[in-house]
Amino acid sequence: MNLVHLLPVGKVDASLLEDLRVSIPRSLHVACEILHTTLDPASVYHAERQQYHSSEILQRMQAQVRPEDWRLLAIADLDLYIPILKYVFGEAQMGGPCAVVSAYRLRQEFYGLDPDAGLLSQRLLKESIHELGHTLDLRHCQDYRCAMASSHAVEWIDLRESTLCTSCQSRVESKSALVRS
Ligand SMILES: [Zn+2]
Ligand SMILES: [Zn+2]
């Protein structure tokens, strides 16, 4: 079965990683394991923005991709950005194999609200499925309930399901046939 490896970026809550390890295979037909190595984010920090450049994380990940890796998903708890945007929840290489997501702006506390660990895990799962979808060549979906719907605010993530709509799902199935061949 196709295997997604989770790569922690710096310090990440063990319970967040464990929740993803269990829940990603419920949303996508894949196996999931947590890597014991971590990626040090120090070199992708940009003091002028006090944020971490997500594209540079994807670049650094290339060196860590092994032939047996199907998809490598970096999990961060840092404020990520790309130069043209104020922030991003995550970023992926279209067609794979690498993607990154961050819990940083998915926390209720970030918006001045009370912590909600269950909601945080759900949002991180939805973002993970979304970015993994991009690594499978999926683009944004018009169905707001689909994991591939675009979202520029956390409220939009809450509207999504953690699964793909039937049309995105069938695109992935034809794609994974290609990946396996
Ligand atoms: Zn997207
Ligand atoms: Zn869809």
Side-chain angles (χ1 to χ4, degrees):
M1 188 184 290
N2 290 328
L3 180 61
V4 174
H5 271 125
L6 304 180
L7 173 67
V9 181
K11 205 178 141 24
V12 181
D13 230 35
S15 66
L16 279 179
L17 294 168
E18 180 57 21
D19 283 355
L20 284 177
R21 189 187 67 78
V22 172
S23 57
I24 286 174
R26 293 188 187 139
S27 295
L28 284 179
H29 188 60
V30 295
C32 189
E33 282 175 11
I34 301 167
L35 290 173
H36 296 295
T37 52
T38 60
L39 193 145
D40 179 2
S43 69
V44 305
Y45 179 70
H46 291 258
E48 73 282 9
R49 292 188 55 142
Q50 300 186 324
Q51 286 178 304
Y52 296 81
H53 195 323
S54 59
S55 315
E56 292 178 3
I57 294 178
L58 292 179
Q59 274 168 26
R60 299 242 353 248
M61 289 170 74
Q62 304 308 310
Q64 303 212 15
V65 180
R66 300 162 311 175
E68 67 268 31
D69 287 325
W70 179 67
R71 290 295 180 270
L72 192 56
L73 176 63
I75 311 296
D77 203 347
L78 305 166
D79 199 10
L80 303 182
Y81 80 101
I82 56 173
I84 55 163
L85 293 174
K86 263 182 77 179
Y87 65 88
V88 293
F89 296 124
E91 189 185 349
Q93 272 182 290
M94 283 300 283
C98 296
V100 55
V101 293
S102 177
Y104 190 83
R105 287 177 185 258
L106 304 180
R107 292 176 191 282
Q108 289 289 72
E109 304 91 294
F110 185 82
Y111 305 95
L113 301 167
D114 290 336
D116 185 335
L119 185 60
L120 173 61
S121 277
Q122 252 178 44
R123 286 171 173 172
L124 193 60
L125 170 64
K126 291 175 183 179
E127 273 307 295
S128 298
I129 301 301
H130 182 94
E131 299 304 344
L132 286 171
H134 282 316
T135 70
L136 294 168
D137 257 344
L138 291 179
R139 295 180 182 275
H140 287 152
C141 181
Q142 299 299 319
D143 182 347
Y144 69 90
R145 292 159 306 182
C146 174
M148 291 315 295
S150 69
S151 65
H152 304 292
V154 82
E155 294 79 9
W156 298 8
I157 298 175
D158 293 337
L159 290 176
R160 289 189 208 145
E161 309 280 340
S162 57
T163 49
L164 302 173
C165 71
T166 47
S167 103
C168 287
Q169 184 61 45
S170 62
R171 252 174 246 142
V172 166
E173 276 158 17
S174 53
K175 179 78 192 168
S176 41
L178 289 176
V179 168
R180 271 189 227 111
S181 66

